[in-house]
Amino acid sequence: MKLFTFVFTSLFLLPAIAQTEVPIDSLGKLNLTYVNAAPSQSVQKAVSTGIVAPFPGSQLHLMAPMTPQQVQYLVADGTAVSKGQRLAMLKGSEVHHFTENLKAKTALLKISQKRFNANKPLFEANAISQSSWFSITQAYYDAKLAWGHLDHFAEMFESDEDDDIGYLLAPEAGLFLYANGEKDAEATRLGSIISNNSLRIKTMVSADEASLISSIETANCQVQVARTDAIVNEYLASVWSEPLPKSCNLKLGQRAQVSGHFQLKALKIPAQSVFYLNGQSSVFVRSGNVLNVVSVEVVGQSGADALLIKATPQLNNQPVLSSSVSAVQGVLIGLGEME
């Protein structure tokens, strides 16, 4: 019973803050200065860690129509390479089999093509049957497809004096990535090439703000946003930047702290103008000879000394107290009067 009486009495001793204005006359000789809340169309705030990654679908996969017994890479994973540069040494009987298969398919293509060209005028003159021409045509195109399947890889293959050795060549300039052992029934991936303009920053932002972000900023550069993924993962959405300029000085796979620029109507005020009342961010706004308490929502930071708050008609271009804020707050909650 005594405990209940103590708690009940203590509740009535706590200051009840119902007052939301302070007469300027009650502030004595306090130095009061004001700033007008300035409109801002962009809010910058930290979002997450960003990672440098290839833009989805931008990798050129280097597929071989055989599986070498050994792939000895000649450059480090992620190395910048030039077109035609040797990327790996391929070893094994499968390499020899590929070169022999290519020679056989090339010879068959020449024979079937010669036969096709010789019989085409005869078919057009109705000198041979349609079924015979169909068989000739089918043999020619089958040989052409079989040769083309091998020839595509032959364009990035260099043979060696040793029939069991060959070299994988870069089909274009970019960053070379090792393969992860991917293979299917007809081909084996030996690596991938990523062009320099495929490197982007990927970061995560709140799904509610995903449509508002316009650019991503690192310590060295600011890059426009290229795409925001529509899939939401635990309230977050992935955001991809435009290609990274060299000034960003970031490498593939590197992580960096990033901030985002959001297209959001806000007001810029000094950081010292904001105080907390009953757990709510607030400012004093002058109206005649009175300072009114106005609740605000802080949405970001502008530099080291300014905050961005959500724009409201009540605050737009209004004089906001920027000095002696703590002293005025003390008067508001009844801690004393100023002389």
Side-chain angles (χ1 to χ4, degrees):
M1 186 64 181
K2 291 182 179 180
L3 178 61
F4 174 80
T5 303
F6 174 78
V7 174
F8 184 81
T9 305
S10 298
L11 290 175
F12 280 92
L13 292 177
L14 292 174
I17 304 173
Q19 187 177 353
T20 59
E21 63 179 36
V22 178
I24 295 178
D25 294 341
S26 68
L27 299 177
K29 298 181 181 180
L30 279 179
N31 178 32
L32 304 178
T33 57
Y34 307 89
V35 296
N36 287 341
S40 174
Q41 299 299 320
S42 179
V43 175
Q44 180 182 2
K45 55 183 176 179
V47 289
S48 175
T49 299
I51 185 170
V52 180
F55 201 53
S58 63
Q59 296 188 46
L60 176 64
H61 300 304
L62 312 184
M63 307 299 293
M66 45 86 175
T67 304
Q69 278 75 24
Q70 182 181 4
V71 179
Q72 181 180 335
Y73 289 113
L74 304 177
V75 296
D77 197 10
T79 298
V81 298
S82 57
K83 183 177 180 180
Q85 182 177 343
R86 288 182 175 181
L87 304 177
M89 178 186 293
L90 313 179
K91 293 183 177 182
S93 58
E94 287 296 320
V95 177
H96 185 200
H97 177 69
F98 164 74
T99 56
E100 291 299 313
N101 197 14
L102 178 62
K103 292 177 182 178
K105 293 294 191 296
T106 302
L108 287 175
L109 176 60
K110 290 181 179 179
I111 294 172
S112 60
Q113 185 174 24
K114 184 177 180 180
R115 185 186 179 197
F116 175 87
N117 292 335
N119 283 274
K120 186 176 181 180
L122 298 177
F123 173 72
E124 293 173 346
N126 295 320
I128 59 174
S129 66
Q130 188 170 3
S131 60
S132 297
W133 174 243
F134 178 80
S135 297
I136 294 170
T137 302
Q138 186 178 37
Y140 167 62
Y141 284 111
D142 285 347
K144 189 174 183 180
L145 287 173
W147 171 83
H149 178 64
L150 299 178
D151 185 65
H152 177 71
F153 179 70
E155 294 176 355
M156 49 184 177
F157 177 83
E158 180 184 336
S159 59
D160 188 82
E161 293 180 357
D162 187 334
D163 292 338
D164 289 342
I165 294 178
Y167 297 94
L168 176 66
L169 308 179
E172 63 179 43
L175 301 180
F176 176 62
L177 301 182
Y178 290 174
N180 295 319
E182 300 92 338
K183 59 186 301 184
D184 55 34
E186 297 183 351
T188 299
R189 184 184 299 181
L190 300 179
S192 302
I193 295 287
I194 301 175
S195 60
N196 292 326
N197 63 358
S198 296
L199 291 185
R200 315 290 179 99
I201 294 178
K202 178 186 178 183
T203 189
M204 306 288 286
V205 300
S206 167
D208 296 334
E209 298 179 326
S211 62
L212 303 176
I213 188 168
S214 59
S215 63
I216 299 171
E217 186 168 340
T218 71
N220 298 319
C221 64
Q222 181 177 340
V223 192
Q224 295 298 306
V225 168
R227 189 179 77 186
T228 300
D229 290 347
I231 298 175
V232 176
N233 181 15
E234 297 183 356
Y235 309 105
L236 297 174
S238 297
V239 176
W240 293 86
S241 75
E242 294 285 356
L244 296 183
K246 291 183 178 180
S247 60
C248 287
N249 194 28
L250 294 172
K251 296 182 179 181
L252 181 64
Q254 185 173 348
R255 293 184 178 273
Q257 293 297 321
V258 299
S259 60
H261 291 262
F262 296 82
Q263 297 304 310
L264 182 66
K265 291 183 178 180
L267 297 173
K268 182 178 178 180
I269 60 174
Q272 65 266 24
S273 294
V274 178
F275 64 96
Y276 293 88
L277 186 66
N278 295 333
Q280 175 64 52
S281 303
S282 306
V283 295
F284 288 112
V285 178
R286 180 174 181 174
S287 177
N289 293 320
V290 174
L291 293 178
N292 292 312
V293 176
V294 177
S295 298
V296 297
E297 180 182 346
V298 179
V299 295
Q301 187 171 353
S302 178
D305 302 321
L307 295 177
L308 295 169
I309 60 176
K310 190 173 182 179
T312 61
Q314 192 178 6
L315 287 171
N316 194 25
N317 290 320
Q318 296 300 309
V320 175
L321 183 66
S322 60
S323 65
S324 304
V325 175
S326 297
V328 177
Q329 182 185 5
V331 173
L332 176 70
I333 62 178
L335 296 182
E337 295 184 359
M338 297 298 165
E339 297 181 357

